[in-house]
Amino acid sequence: ADNIFLEGGAQQAGGSIQYNVVVRNNILKKSDVSLGYAAQKSNIFISDQNNINIYGNVFAGQPRVANMDNAGMIQGMNIFNNVFTGSTYTFQGPISFHTDQGINTPFSGVNIFNNTFVASPAHGADIGLTNGKGSNVTILNNIVDGNPESGNLAKFGYQYNVIFKTGVIDYSSLQINNNVYNSGRNKPFLVDGTEFALNSWKTVLQGKGVAGYDSNSSFGAVNFVNRSGGDFRLASSDTLARGTGVNLSSYCSSIPALCLDKDGNSRPA
């Protein structure tokens, strides 16, 4: 029931790792119901990957990008220039690292750059690192707007922007900064089961030695060109996100497509 299913099965008999996979410029939309019941499935199910790039996609309906199973090692993944919107039910959230069985499943070298999340999670978080063993994770220049327009998501009462769990994520190799957050919750950040507002979240991350610790990140509603119409480009009048990202040109030699935005315009402008 997953739209795209990528599984090498490296830790399974006869399995292998998949190398150099690119998923780009797709529109992935999923019904809430699969096989006659509300299925907690993914737009992209990923495991056993080495160097996978996911960019320029629109994930709508049930957008969960990374769903790791008990054999789901990931060594190098870049998720950038994507739009996540319109979910009516997801279990973990749009970008989720979790394992159903193998709590020590490794994921490393994960970059989450320049994505836009709008009214995405109904349960869990827009970005949730809750199970497995993660290292060298970098989260920069994202708009994480979990505040639903229609109220459809509010009934679930979750809407966390980011969830971290100690023991899952290596804080010493984690970097997070220059993001803009928004949520219907007053405290949309969760660390080890405790909720925080943005300023307290920054203090907690700084205390854990996290690089950047969201020190340059802000909270509030970004001004999109046409939010209700699904045009999530930044409006020229926006002052919250426009011009507040960090320059990522140093990554462009290894991630060439990152030097362009979702419309193909050169960045940084």
Side-chain angles (χ1 to χ4, degrees), residues 7 17 20 24 34 36 40 49 58 84-85 91 106 119 128 135 172-173 180 186 191-192 199 203 219 233 240 248 267:
E7 183 177 36
I17 294 177
N20 305 322
R24 65 180 178 184
S34 177
Q40 298 168 1
Q49 301 293 318
V58 175
F84 303 85
T85 186
F91 182 59
S135 61
S172 68
S173 63
V180 178
N186 293 325
V191 179
D192 298 331
N199 286 339
T203 301
F219 191 89
R233 297 173 178 86
L240 195 61
L248 299 180
R267 78 161 78 233

Side-chain angles (χ1 to χ4, degrees), residues 193-206:
T194 301
E195 300 175 345
F196 298 95
L198 180 58
N199 286 339
S200 299
W201 162 261
K202 293 178 181 181
T203 301
V204 169
L205 296 186
Q206 185 178 22

Side-chain angles (χ1 to χ4, degrees), residues 22-44:
V22 176
V23 181
R24 65 180 178 184
N25 299 344
N26 301 282
I27 298 175
L28 298 173
K29 185 174 181 180
K30 193 166 182 57
S31 169
D32 289 14
V33 178
S34 177
L35 303 179
Y37 60 92
Q40 298 168 1
K41 295 297 182 180
S42 311
N43 271 326
I44 305 180

Side-chain angles (χ1 to χ4, degrees), residues 77-133:
M77 178 162 68
N78 302 307
I79 306 171
F80 61 96
N81 291 2
N82 300 287
V83 173
F84 303 85
T85 186
S87 172
T88 56
Y89 183 83
T90 59
F91 182 59
Q92 295 289 343
I95 296 180
S96 172
F97 292 84
H98 81 282
T99 62
D100 293 330
Q101 299 176 19
I103 61 172
N104 293 317
T105 303
F107 58 95
S108 63
V110 176
N111 296 313
I112 302 173
F113 297 150
N114 298 335
N115 300 286
T116 300
F117 304 82
V118 183
S120 294
H123 180 94
D126 290 278
I127 301 172
L129 309 180
T130 59
N131 212 335
K133 289 292 183 180

Side-chain angles (χ1 to χ4, degrees), residues 1 3 10 64 66 70 109 173 175 186 229 234 236 250:
N3 282 356
R64 181 166 28 149
N70 62 314
S173 63
Q175 181 179 0
N186 293 325
L234 286 177
S236 59
S250 61

